């Protein structure tokens, strides 16, 4: 059973940075495509960034391109989301998600594409 635990959220001023981590256990994480999603109050959960497991191919939502960077360390079973130039509209609960992927080079962007989810970590951006 895959377990995902996010950390690194917190309060930051607009323009600041945070790095989120997602630690996986229970599986060979290197065979799982992973993604970050976020959900703001009264809004639907949305895709933020994803990374494949074989060639570390990445994909980003337009709203975060150039500001956020997703990366992974398979040896540590951990995926990261570096968030720079944070804006008040980035404020949300951020969730890590994973799914087993046999191709190794595809990045999924849909909520229904992922089988495992973490509990989320709150990111608050003050203006």
């Amino acid at each position: 059973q895959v377990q995902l635990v996010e950390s690194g959220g917190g309060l930051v001023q607009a323009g600041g940075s945070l790095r989120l981590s997602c630690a996986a256990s229970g599986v060979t994480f290197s065979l799982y495509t992973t993604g970050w999603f976020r959900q703001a109050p009264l809004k639907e959960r949305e895709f933020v960034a994803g990374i494949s497991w074989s060639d570390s191919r990445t994909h980003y939502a337009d709203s975060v391109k150039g500001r956020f960077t997703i990366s992974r360390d398979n040896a540590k079973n951990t995926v990261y989301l570096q968030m720079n130039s944070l804006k008040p509209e980035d404020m949300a609960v951020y969730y890590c998600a994973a799914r087993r992927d046999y191709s190794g080079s595809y990045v999924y962007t849909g909520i229904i594409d992922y089988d495992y989810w973490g509990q989320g970590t709150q990111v608050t951006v003050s203006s």
Side-chain angles (χ1 to χ4, degrees), residues 20-77:
L20 305 183
S21 298
C22 172
S25 61
V27 291
T28 304
F29 194 51
S30 58
L31 301 179
Y32 283 69
T33 291
T34 56
W36 285 96
F37 291 75
R38 66 187 181 187
Q39 187 167 17
L42 303 181
K43 292 188 176 181
E44 294 185 353
R45 191 171 298 188
E46 64 177 1
F47 172 80
V48 175
I51 187 167
S52 64
W53 64 262
S54 177
D55 53 6
S56 292
R57 186 172 302 186
T58 59
H59 184 74
Y60 298 92
D62 288 342
S63 58
V64 306
K65 278 182 182 177
R67 300 187 298 121
F68 290 12
T69 302
I70 187 172
S71 62
R72 64 190 299 155
D73 186 336
N74 288 337
K76 295 183 177 180
N77 270 11

Side-chain angles (χ1 to χ4, degrees), residues 8-20 38 48 63-64 66-69 81-92 94 122-127:
L11 172 64
V12 64
Q13 288 188 334
S17 298
L18 282 174
R19 189 176 82 154
L20 305 183
R38 66 187 181 187
V48 175
S63 58
V64 306
R67 300 187 298 121
F68 290 12
T69 302
L81 185 67
Q82 177 67 43
M83 305 186 295
N84 299 328
S85 303
L86 281 161
K87 305 175 181 179
E89 51 263 43
D90 294 319
M91 185 163 58
Y94 282 71
Q122 176 71 47
V123 171
T124 302
V125 183
S126 63
S127 56

